[in-house]
Amino acid sequence: RTPEGLRLLVAPMHGTGAVTFFLVVRTGSRHETPDVFGVSHFLEHLFFKGSQHRPTTRAISEAVDGVGGEMNAFTSKEWTAFYAKAASRHAELIVDVISDMVLRPLLDANEIQRERGVVIEEINMYEDTPMRNIGEFFEETLFGRHQLAHPIIGTKEIIRSIPRAEITRYLTRQYRAESTVACLAGDITPDLGMSLLQKTLAGFPRGSASPPVAFRRSFGRSLVRVKAKKTDQVHVVIGAPAVPFLHRDRPVVDLAAAILGGGMSSRLFLEVRERRGLAYAVRTSPEHFVDTGYVATQSGVDQKKALDACRVIVREHARLRERRVSRRELTKAREFVKGKLLLSLEASDEVAQFAALQEVLLGRILTPDDIFRLLDAVEPSDIQRVARRYFKPQDLRSVAIGADLREHELAQAISV
């Protein structure tokens, strides 16, 4: 830790000449009050508009482009992260660029005004892309009035009107050392990495970010919602409440999701796409937050086949509840989940994100071996138990975006 309390991680990797710097702050859209919804994401944009040592967007981007590196940032519901990746000899540069952006942003009033238009166009893009918009529509339905229901990107009305003073107030309140983790991963030694982080991040504001409103099963009342939009496909999500990050059932839920729709040999892929030709894409994914979660199946289907696809999906939920999976199918799902994790950790940016996000959200880091041990302990009876507990018909929510689909039709389809 730095003297201010910021946590520092270094993850040396063999076989790479690159290094990634990943800085993550435990603040996101669920930390926002209604009058500033979208400020976390908006602020993420503004950090790139100029800092003390690089006062323009061009100066920031040229610093990283000039060494063949890359940089980006992400805002989620629970965290905001910044990263830069380059050849390892440029480690000091990329740490300095990101640190200067976050510690010493200019937040110029003219740049703020210009960036409002950029974010509004980003909102328009999401609204024109149902495949992306459907996920947040489902979360809005599932989480009701809680902050988790609100879109990360915010609303056009707030982005147009939020004052600079409110943006800086949020920055001051949330960007605090004890709620921040910095990680260097790749071709770097622990001593050099730690020295570089301690030197560059000195002076990060002390204290902790304001916590989010706790989630206490305050789910939305609507079980089915349809958003009318002229599209070639109907985009559908069917899901139910599940478990948070550290719940004992998390590995079981992850494996149940893999069995349902985790790959090209999963039950839903074979049944919905291959055998019936109802959809091009169908997948089931778990989502875990620090205090809640859900598991959901998403599909894009022909307008005339949407209800048939929904019926097949809920029947597969029922089959998972009613019949115990074979050991062979469980083993396949287990190896699928393990393999996906290992493949995701081949690059330094993925390793940095994997470690830093766990540390900032959970206060601990589960290694791949730790996760594998949890997965190996899952039995076929656990899958059936979890399916009966979390995939109950009365808990299912479904949302759809498309034309010529009615809520009562969707409700009937998922009640099969």
Side-chain angles (χ1 to χ4, degrees):
R1 289 180 181 258
T2 66
E4 295 80 17
L6 191 150
R7 286 163 284 176
L8 308 176
L9 305 173
V10 179
M13 298 173 63
H14 299 294
T16 179
V19 67
T20 295
F21 176 53
F22 194 89
L23 182 74
V24 58
V25 184
R26 188 172 177 175
T27 192
S29 61
R30 72 173 297 184
H31 295 77
E32 300 165 354
T33 52
D35 57 320
V36 295
F37 281 148
V39 67
S40 302
H41 172 260
F42 193 23
L43 183 57
E44 173 220 305
H45 275 237
L46 296 176
F47 282 124
F48 287 84
K49 308 308 289 184
S51 62
Q52 181 178 310
H53 297 148
R54 298 171 186 86
T56 64
T57 302
R58 180 174 179 175
I60 290 173
S61 60
E62 282 187 343
V64 178
D65 286 349
V67 297
E70 61 183 51
M71 66 187 304
N72 210 335
F74 321 94
T75 304
S76 83
K77 301 211 165 182
E78 298 193 301
W79 49 266
T80 305
F82 308 82
Y83 90 92
K85 181 179 182 180
S88 56
R89 65 181 180 275
H90 301 300
E92 185 171 1
L93 171 69
I94 62 173
V95 173
D96 182 68
V97 170
I98 297 293
S99 300
D100 191 45
M101 284 167 48
V102 175
L103 277 170
R104 294 172 287 274
L106 296 183
L107 300 183
D108 178 78
N110 292 327
E111 292 291 350
I112 291 174
Q113 196 60 33
R114 273 192 288 269
E115 202 62 19
R116 295 184 199 274
V118 173
V119 175
I120 287 170
E121 287 307 310
E122 190 177 357
I123 293 173
N124 291 335
M125 180 187 72
Y126 286 135
E127 291 178 350
D128 287 342
T129 314
M131 185 182 295
R132 299 184 67 171
N133 184 243
I134 190 70
E136 290 207 326
F137 187 33
F138 176 76
E139 290 185 345
E140 176 187 319
T141 302
L142 179 66
F143 293 123
R145 296 184 177 182
H146 191 271
Q147 274 84 343
L148 284 169
H150 296 282
I152 295 165
I153 202 167
T155 66
K156 294 179 186 179
E157 293 73 22
I158 290 178
I159 297 304
R160 286 192 185 104
S161 62
I162 184 171
R164 181 182 184 277
E166 288 293 338
I167 298 170
T168 57
R169 189 175 295 117
Y170 181 83
L171 168 63
T172 301
R173 185 177 75 241
Q174 297 301 109
Y175 278 68
R176 293 286 174 171
E178 291 176 20
S179 301
T180 303
V181 171
C183 180
L184 270 171
D187 181 23
I188 195 161
T189 65
D191 288 345
L192 176 60
M194 198 60 67
S195 173
L196 182 55
L197 293 176
Q198 288 173 336
K199 177 181 70 173
T200 311
L201 291 165
F204 211 98
R206 293 179 181 271
S208 299
S210 296
V213 176
F215 186 85
R216 294 187 173 89
R217 295 196 63 80
S218 48
F219 294 108
R221 294 182 179 179
S222 298
L223 299 182
V224 173
R225 294 176 70 201
V226 173
K227 186 183 293 185
K229 190 176 185 66
K230 188 175 180 180
T231 57
D232 292 329
Q233 287 186 315
V234 173
H235 294 270
V236 179
V237 171
I238 299 173
V243 298
F245 276 116
L246 291 179
H247 195 281
R248 66 183 182 88
D249 282 337
R250 179 186 174 181
V252 193
V253 169
D254 291 352
L255 289 175
I259 290 168
L260 268 179
M264 294 176 66
S265 63
S266 66
R267 292 183 177 188
L268 285 174
F269 193 93
L270 293 176
E271 192 67 24
V272 174
R273 172 173 162 157
E274 297 302 317
R275 292 181 186 145
R276 299 173 183 262
L278 296 175
Y280 171 72
V282 58
R283 69 175 188 273
T284 303
S285 307
E287 183 69 49
H288 306 290
F289 299 104
V290 296
D291 51 5
T292 188
Y294 64 85
V295 60
T297 298
Q298 179 176 339
S299 186
V301 300
D302 181 272
Q303 300 276 357
K304 297 177 181 178
K305 300 176 180 178
L307 297 178
D308 286 340
C310 291
R311 293 185 187 102
V312 174
I313 290 168
V314 296
R315 285 193 196 114
E316 289 300 326
H317 279 78
R319 188 156 73 97
L320 204 63
R321 292 192 303 269
E322 294 164 3
R323 302 179 196 169
R324 188 171 294 187
V325 302
S326 67
R327 287 196 174 274
R328 180 179 178 277
E329 189 174 23
L330 177 56
T331 298
K332 179 171 70 73
R334 185 183 288 122
E335 293 307 311
F336 173 83
V337 173
K338 288 181 179 180
K340 287 293 185 183
L341 176 58
L342 288 177
L343 288 177
S344 74
L345 297 178
E346 286 191 325
S348 62
D349 50 333
E350 298 291 350
V351 170
Q353 178 170 323
F354 177 78
L357 287 182
Q358 288 191 81
E359 178 61 37
V360 81
L361 293 175
L362 311 177
R364 59 185 290 196
I365 299 174
L366 295 175
T367 67
D369 285 342
D370 294 331
I371 295 170
F372 292 169
R373 280 192 290 272
L374 294 172
L375 294 170
D376 287 339
V378 176
E379 295 289 335
S381 59
D382 294 317
I383 300 294
Q384 188 175 36
R385 173 181 59 81
V386 155
R388 288 174 171 174
R389 180 170 182 180
Y390 302 112
F391 300 172
K392 291 181 289 191
Q394 62 267 34
D395 288 343
L396 285 181
R397 268 83 168 171
S398 184
V399 299
I401 298 176
D404 302 324
L405 186 65
R406 303 291 180 265
E407 288 186 356
H408 72 274
E409 297 173 326
L410 184 57
Q412 289 176 348
I414 69 168
S415 64
V416 172

